[in-house]
């Protein structure tokens, strides 16, 4: 590189700008590489130890053009520090890659894929849509990412299990309605704690609901827990519930429709029955800022609530003794609890 070239790069701060962005590029590439491994057969093979290039299963080990592409992809992983290579072959490198491969970290693998696949699209394409007077179609997220989001949401399980331990009865009859039950993890936890608890889980995504039913059956809870594909706004039941829960999904309802939703849920509760709702709130962590963007920019959904706004909406819907409990200090992730008066 000659002096003239260096001078042209330094002029106007271009060289410094390029170098600083290059650091961001590397972090982005690394996250994308982790996402590309998640849920793949290749990750499973690499987690068992060194794998020679020719020993990977499937077509990629047989077709020469695919073999070349595989070697290039593995080489990128080595350069990013996610993989390592020696005479025995390729294997995982470092704490993140090895822990990600562990079966118990399924929710983290799903979250990595969600961030790299879905979140970056909202950041990248939302300005273009807004310039055209458009917002996102919710059908895209449901069809492409419904199951992934249900899995990734389980990263919040420890906080919600603690909440269930704190406020759900450990014994005695209890009828639970869970709105947006996902894979039914929270329903099953509540049912395991209380052998007299019966529950109904409502889920909009039929594929996610089918996984929930299989999970319920595997756990042997099908006599006490039912999963139904239905929008809660259309749901009616003459038999009232003791508890209604909405975990991390209030932003799937427009802000202007939330009071009416709460009134409907109020009508499904017994006197002294309670609503339990968890959500991130406005001006919280960067993760919740991203959730806010996704739901504010998608047709038929809504932005994150403000803490006082949520308490006010519950009051206007007829709930009393309303309270907000911080679940993750400093993160603006809250549980809201309200009661139907006796």
């Amino acid at each position: 590189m000659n002096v003239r070239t260096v001078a042209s790069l330094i002029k106007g701060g271009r060289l410094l700008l390029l170098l600083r962005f290059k650091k961001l590029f590397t972090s982005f590439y690394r996250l994308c590489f982790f996402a590309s491994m998640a849920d793949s057969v290749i990750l499973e093979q690499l987690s068992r130890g060194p794998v020679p290039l020719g020993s990977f299963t499937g077509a990629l080990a047989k077709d020469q053009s695919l073999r070349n592409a595989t070697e290039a992809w593995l080489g990128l992983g080595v350069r990013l520090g996610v993989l390592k290579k020696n005479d025995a072959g390729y294997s995982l490198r470092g704490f993140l890659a090895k822990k990600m491969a562990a079966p118990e970290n399924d929710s983290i693998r799903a979250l990595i894929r969600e961030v790299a696949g879905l979140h970056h699209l909202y950041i990248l394409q939302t300005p273009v849509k807004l310039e055209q007077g458009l917002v996102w179609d919710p059908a895209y997220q449901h069809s492409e990412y419904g199951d992934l989001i249900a899995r990734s949401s389980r990263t919040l399980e420890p906080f919600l299990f603690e909440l269930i331990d704190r406020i759900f009865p450990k014994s005695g009859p209890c009828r639970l309605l869970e709105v947006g039950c996902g894979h039914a993890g929270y329903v099953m936890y509540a049912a395991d704690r209380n052998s007299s608890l019966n529950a109904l889980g409502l889920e909009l995504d039929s594929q996610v609901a089918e996984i929930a039913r299989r999970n319920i059956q595997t756990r042997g809870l099908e006599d006490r827990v039912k999963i139904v594909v239905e929008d809660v706004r259309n749901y009616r039941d003459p038999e009232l519930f003791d508890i209604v829960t909405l975990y991390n999904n209030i932003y799937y309802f427009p802000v202007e429709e939330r009071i009416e939703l709460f009134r409907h849920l109020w009508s499904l509760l017994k006197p002294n029955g309670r609503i339990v709702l968890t959500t991130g709130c406005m001006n919280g962590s960067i993760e919740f800022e991203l959730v806010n963007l996704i739901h504010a920019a998608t047709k038929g959904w809504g932005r994150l609530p403000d803490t006082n706004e949520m308490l006010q909406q519950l009051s206007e819907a007829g709930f009393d003794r309303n309270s907000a409990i911080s679940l993750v200090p400093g993160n603006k992730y809250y549980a809201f609890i309200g009661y139907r008066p006796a």
Side-chain angles (χ1 to χ4, degrees), residues 1-2 94-95 97 115 132 148-149 171 174 185 194 197 256-258 263 266 270 272 276 285 304-305 310:
M1 184 183 299
N2 61 37
F95 173 83
V115 169
Q132 298 171 346
L148 200 66
I149 292 170
S171 61
C174 180
N194 184 346
L197 181 144
E256 61 273 15
E257 295 180 12
R258 290 174 188 172
R263 286 174 179 152
W266 184 97
K270 298 176 183 178
N272 280 324
V276 179
S285 67
L304 292 184
M310 182 57 60

Side-chain angles (χ1 to χ4, degrees), residues 95-116:
F95 173 83
L96 292 180
K98 292 176 182 178
K99 293 298 290 184
M100 186 184 80
E104 63 269 21
N105 289 326
D106 174 77
S107 62
I108 296 177
R109 287 195 299 274
L111 181 60
I112 294 168
R113 286 183 56 200
E114 181 185 336
V115 169

